[in-house]
Amino acid sequence: MTQYITPELRRWLQEQLQSGVKATDLVISMTQAGWQRKLALQAVAELKIDGWLGTAEAPRPAGLPEPDLADGASLIDAGDRQIQVLATVQHPRVVVLGNLLSRDECEAIVAAARPRMHRSETVAEQREGSEVNTARTSSGMFFERAENPVIERVEARIARLLRWPVENGEGVQVLNYQAGAEYQPHYDYFDARHASTASILKRGGQRVGTLVMYLNTPRRGGATTFPDIKLAVQAVQGQAVFFSYARPEPSTLTLHGGASVLEGEKWVATKWLREGRFS
């Protein structure tokens, strides 16, 4: 059975640490209860490293990608398209967007990606590179920046919408989730403890924002979930969800996942934004 660190577990661990329970005793207690030792060590280490800031928002550094939400704007001019602001959350910064992509654009991206799909991987923890992870049961591919006219147009729109340079974005990744596929809760920033992180950061620094664009509407399931804040964003063709994270820490509350597709399939396009120029 796959195990992962849930918000409920982190809150319980926080309470134990604050009450004076030793970290080593917590790890022993978790392993005796059936938790994998590696996961128990990771859970306790994360809390000790970031001091658990809870829901108190730390100062937001200048220079994060961000739509212009001044004066409660409900529409944002992205150059060639008016983007709808459907919902916002302050902490973590989450913005649900409508009318980001047209139906034709969604279908064109899927058509270009479909022949190049392969089993999705995640950043390897113990070695350089990536690896298949049972927590992620999708297939995917990456476009190069400006690889075709549709991708180039969408990237320019995103840059204007989020006020972030095109060159600071990774190539668009397209993912396909068949019925039963999911991506269990995770963070998008690069973990300093992973072997690959040092080399990854040389190519533009940390990730600071994520934009998930929905290329179709599954018949049931497939929402993007944020367990820390009990938020679920339904996958609706042409819409998107954006979130940013000022620090590579769980205190950003950006734990998120792709809920299991219950009927039909789900296609998404993800754009990750870096601190600096991505090469």
Side-chain angles (χ1 to χ4, degrees):
M1 181 179 67
T2 303
Q3 298 177 330
Y4 59 92
I5 304 167
T6 65
E8 291 75 15
L9 174 62
R10 292 203 310 276
R11 281 192 285 271
W12 179 80
L13 291 172
Q14 175 206 2
E15 293 170 357
Q16 300 304 305
L17 288 171
Q18 289 179 338
S19 68
V21 177
K22 293 181 180 179
T24 53
D25 291 338
L26 277 178
V27 172
I28 292 171
S29 177
M30 288 180 67
T31 54
Q32 289 177 342
W35 287 88
Q36 300 168 10
R37 179 172 173 78
K38 177 182 176 182
L39 195 66
L41 287 167
Q42 176 186 340
V44 174
E46 284 181 352
L47 287 173
K48 295 188 71 180
I49 288 170
D50 95 336
W52 186 259
L53 299 179
T55 57
E57 183 173 9
R60 183 184 297 272
L64 284 177
E66 173 85 356
D68 186 359
L69 301 175
D71 302 321
S74 59
L75 289 175
I76 299 175
D77 181 8
D80 64 341
R81 201 168 182 84
Q82 295 290 310
I83 311 301
Q84 301 167 333
V85 180
L86 302 179
T88 65
V89 179
Q90 182 63 28
H91 182 60
R93 167 50 86 203
V94 178
V95 184
V96 182
L97 301 159
N99 196 44
L100 180 62
L101 301 175
S102 70
R103 174 178 293 183
D104 287 346
E105 287 170 335
C106 291
E107 293 176 351
I109 293 171
V110 170
R114 192 185 294 275
R116 295 161 57 180
M117 305 296 283
H118 57 269
R119 175 66 189 271
S120 300
E121 298 184 343
T122 60
V123 174
E125 296 184 16
Q126 304 299 325
R127 59 176 178 81
E128 293 285 336
S130 59
E131 60 189 6
V132 171
N133 189 322
T134 56
R136 189 180 198 186
T137 52
S138 61
S139 58
M141 58 77 67
F142 276 94
F143 287 107
E144 296 292 332
R145 279 203 308 259
E147 181 173 322
N148 62 48
V150 173
I151 292 296
E152 185 174 20
R153 181 170 68 247
V154 170
E155 288 175 330
R157 187 182 305 156
I158 292 169
R160 179 157 177 169
L161 170 68
L162 300 179
R163 300 180 291 177
W164 206 248
V166 170
E167 58 267 24
N168 287 23
E170 298 179 24
V172 171
Q173 183 189 45
V174 175
L175 294 173
N176 174 237
Y177 295 82
Q178 293 292 319
E182 64 177 345
Y183 194 178
Q184 292 177 2
H186 60 282
Y187 300 98
D188 279 354
Y189 57 74
F190 300 113
D191 192 323
R193 294 163 297 181
H194 291 175
S196 298
T197 295
S199 60
I200 289 173
L201 295 183
K202 294 177 181 177
R203 302 182 60 200
Q206 265 291 358
R207 286 175 175 168
V208 291
T210 300
L211 180 70
V212 179
M213 299 168 278
Y214 304 111
L215 303 178
N216 80 317
T217 305
R219 286 191 286 274
R220 285 198 304 130
T224 301
T225 61
F226 295 82
D228 283 341
I229 58 173
K230 305 295 190 293
L231 174 67
V233 179
Q234 299 302 320
V236 177
Q237 186 180 59
Q239 297 187 6
V241 59
F242 165 75
F243 55 99
S244 60
Y245 25 98
R247 300 163 301 282
E249 301 171 357
S251 61
T252 57
L253 304 184
T254 54
L255 184 73
H256 65 285
S260 179
V261 176
L262 302 178
E263 186 179 357
E265 63 177 340
K266 179 176 75 170
W267 287 85
V268 300
T270 302
K271 184 74 170 177
W272 285 293
L273 307 175
R274 298 286 194 99
E275 293 174 297
R277 183 183 181 91
F278 176 75
S279 60

